[in-house]
Amino acid sequence: MVGLSTQRVLTRRGEPTFEGGPAAGRLESVSKHYGRRDGDALDGVSIAFPRATLTAVMGLSGSGKSTLLQCASGLDRPSRGRVWLGGEEITRMRRRRLALLRRRKVGFVFQELNLVPTLTVAENIALPLRLDGRPFDWDDIAGAAGQVGITPLLGRLPDRLSGGQQQRVAIARALITRPEVVFADEPTAALDPYTSEVVLDLLRRAVDELGQTVVVVTHNPMVAGYADQAVVLAHGRIAETRTAPDPAELGQILRRLGEAESR
């Protein structure tokens, strides 16, 4: 796996590419300022998400993890810098076109899940296709459910599911459009250790078996152990990058950052 610190930038018709192939997404010198006195939420961050890899973005509270996800996915615009998604620069893209691109090229898995309570599991999975006006076959929905092990639950409403089952629905919904990148924000934060492992295995399989690109924002070093590369943020900047990350080493890095902040 080519590491973040060693990737050599190439170009192909303006699309950022790297040794090993084009990146599914990329931030170049991205800063985000919210008018706070204590500096930028992001400060000159450059990072690439190579295709068919899982990237973990880590850091202490307030380090800029969620802001990075929002800028990388097109949910928010950077104050400075450039962002690419699926080979298209989205930094100055008009809102309507950006919303369309985000709907088609981005999948989201949030801690809050955001399942529609009045829709069945099958209808929740199909929702991104319906919102985009795409034709689909219910067999495709059943297939997506089968990939995450919830086929028997297709007719149930979300309130009849456990937290782990709801997270599986959210993953199937994120994957149904075959997006360029799936962004997952603390996807295991509310889950017990066993269920967390199941969810992380599903995200890892999406990378290995489906060629999906996944970016996971987390504070948990064990989650980053499933990643191909880990990026640790501190005060809006990249403090460390690791390939084939070791959870124990990442835990030590976070402890050092925490000790430095408490001085």
Side-chain angles (χ1 to χ4, degrees):
M1 188 62 59
V2 179
L4 284 175
S5 59
T6 60
Q7 287 172 334
R8 181 165 60 89
V9 178
L10 312 173
T11 57
R12 186 180 65 186
R13 295 183 181 178
E15 176 183 354
T17 66
F18 300 85
E19 291 178 335
R26 181 183 177 221
L27 283 70
E28 181 183 282
S29 302
V30 166
S31 296
K32 181 64 181 180
H33 185 70
Y34 290 109
R36 303 180 308 178
R37 293 182 179 179
D38 53 349
D40 290 351
L42 289 179
D43 184 7
V45 170
S46 295
I47 181 174
F49 308 121
R51 295 188 188 278
T53 64
L54 195 158
T55 298
V57 179
M58 304 190 66
L60 302 176
S61 178
S63 61
K65 302 188 301 295
S66 294
T67 303
L68 186 149
L69 181 149
Q70 291 166 357
C71 289
S73 64
L75 289 175
D76 201 356
R77 295 184 187 273
S79 303
R80 297 181 300 277
R82 304 169 74 187
V83 179
W84 285 267
L85 187 58
E88 294 188 61
E89 185 177 356
I90 65 172
T91 317
R92 297 175 182 82
M93 191 175 286
R94 293 191 177 187
R95 292 186 180 277
R96 188 169 182 178
R97 185 181 171 202
L98 178 58
L100 179 62
L101 180 141
R102 193 168 56 230
R103 192 162 65 222
R104 293 179 175 177
K105 294 193 175 185
V106 180
F108 293 103
V109 181
F110 293 120
Q111 181 180 342
E112 297 82 5
L113 301 179
N114 297 324
L115 301 180
V116 180
T118 57
L119 299 183
T120 65
V121 167
E123 291 167 337
N124 266 286
I125 295 173
L127 189 58
L129 298 174
R130 284 189 156 176
L131 290 175
D132 197 32
R134 295 198 217 179
F136 65 91
D137 192 306
W138 286 105
D139 288 341
D140 296 333
I141 306 304
Q147 289 174 343
V148 298
I150 54 172
T151 302
L153 309 177
L154 283 170
R156 293 191 189 181
L157 293 174
D159 65 358
R160 302 296 302 274
L161 306 177
S162 68
Q165 290 170 336
Q166 290 182 22
Q167 193 62 286
R168 293 188 190 207
V169 177
I171 292 172
R173 182 182 61 185
L175 294 173
I176 193 65
T177 60
R178 294 297 177 93
E180 292 284 344
V181 188
V182 170
F183 291 96
D185 190 6
E186 299 283 5
T188 64
L191 304 177
D192 61 78
Y194 171 76
T195 307
S196 296
E197 185 175 343
V198 171
V199 167
L200 292 169
D201 281 337
L202 289 172
L203 292 174
R204 184 69 247 181
R205 282 174 49 203
V207 173
D208 296 336
E209 299 176 12
L210 303 178
Q212 184 62 62
T213 304
V214 178
V215 178
V216 177
V217 171
T218 181
H219 68 282
N220 187 344
M222 296 304 297
V223 173
Y226 285 76
D228 299 293
Q229 57 185 7
V231 180
V232 181
L233 296 179
H235 304 292
R237 297 180 178 180
I238 294 179
E240 301 277 351
T241 62
R242 293 289 186 275
T243 55
D246 176 64
E249 182 185 13
L250 292 172
Q252 292 173 357
I253 292 171
L254 292 176
R255 280 193 293 274
R256 287 199 302 268
L257 291 173
E259 291 169 357
E261 287 195 0
S262 64
R263 291 185 190 131

